Amino acid sequence: MFLKLVFSTVLFISTFLFAQNSKTANTVLMGGKPVHTYAKLPAVNTQAPKFSLTDVDMKDQNLDAYKGKYLILNIFPSVDTGVCSASVRHFNEDAASLPNTVVLCISKDLPFAQKRFCGAEGIKNVVMLSDFRSDFGKTYGVELTDSAMKGLLSRAVVVIDPSGKIVYEEQVDDIGHEPNYEAAIKAVKM
């Protein structure tokens, strides 16, 4: 009787935890295979979660530093991949023509690698930020929880308005695909 009670309790707890995780985890593709993120992105019409990230000069930057501006969070695994570097270049071009808007390019890359990339590519219109010593990936739900890329960030875009509210979010369905640049820019211009 005791073992039956223990087994039933363990089964109940396992089922509960699986159900909770499946509600919050998100599935994206990498090379055609499913991989999972820590959670779903924060929802549109909610306040953007606070964060602290490291800039290329090893200084902490937080959400409050950009208060009163539109923010485009360009989130990706590593600037050293073709699709990720293409997104930084694309948003660098777009950012030059967007008034009252800052593009934050966020990855787990070390600030040294981000600075090297920007210098080599002539990137001057975006802010590179590293999640190498923070919990941004979990807070925004984009940290990958399995696969060879476990611990890196998935590809996503979040747009935050000047009041700090999320007005657009896109969890890119396949890490190998570029985000919908036009939709992100449109969210700023609305």
Side-chain angles (χ1 to χ4, degrees):
M1 183 67 158
F2 176 74
L3 288 176
K4 187 175 182 180
L5 179 63
V6 170
F7 179 75
S8 295
T9 303
V10 168
L11 183 61
F12 172 77
I13 292 170
S14 297
T15 304
F16 174 78
L17 291 175
F18 177 77
Q20 291 302 311
N21 191 35
S22 65
K23 288 179 188 175
T24 58
N26 197 25
T27 302
V28 295
L29 297 176
M30 182 176 76
K33 295 182 180 170
V35 295
H36 302 94
T37 62
Y38 186 76
K40 294 188 183 310
L41 287 168
V44 170
N45 294 321
T46 62
Q47 282 300 116
K50 302 283 185 188
F51 61 77
S52 180
L53 296 160
T54 306
D55 69 17
V56 297
D57 295 319
M58 299 298 288
K59 294 182 178 138
D60 290 338
Q61 299 293 325
N62 61 48
L63 182 61
D64 292 336
Y66 302 100
K67 192 173 186 164
K69 296 186 179 293
Y70 275 97
L71 290 178
I72 298 174
L73 309 184
N74 175 32
I75 306 162
F76 53 89
S78 175
V79 75
D80 285 325
T81 67
V83 177
C84 298
S85 59
S87 73
V88 173
R89 285 186 207 100
H90 194 135
F91 277 121
N92 183 61
E93 291 175 20
D94 291 340
S97 64
L98 295 172
N100 198 39
T101 303
V102 178
V103 177
L104 306 179
C105 293
I106 303 167
S107 69
K108 288 272 190 173
D109 290 303
L110 291 176
F112 316 114
Q114 293 175 334
K115 189 172 191 172
R116 174 194 46 77
F117 172 81
C118 289
E121 296 285 329
I123 304 291
K124 298 185 186 296
N125 300 321
V126 300
V127 177
M128 299 295 284
L129 295 173
S130 177
D131 180 29
F132 86 105
R133 63 179 177 199
S134 77
D135 63 353
F136 173 87
K138 288 188 171 115
T139 302
Y140 275 74
V142 294
E143 185 171 309
L144 295 169
T145 60
D146 53 19
S147 82
M149 291 179 47
K150 179 179 179 178
L152 294 178
L153 306 180
S154 65
R155 187 173 318 287
V157 175
V158 176
V159 178
I160 303 169
D161 75 6
S163 73
K165 187 170 70 171
I166 295 174
V167 294
Y168 174 81
E169 57 90 353
E170 176 193 13
Q171 173 63 71
V172 180
D173 63 344
D174 189 310
I175 292 173
H177 295 164
E178 292 184 55
N180 185 339
Y181 302 109
E182 293 75 25
I185 300 304
K186 183 177 177 185
V188 169
K189 292 182 175 180
M190 292 181 82

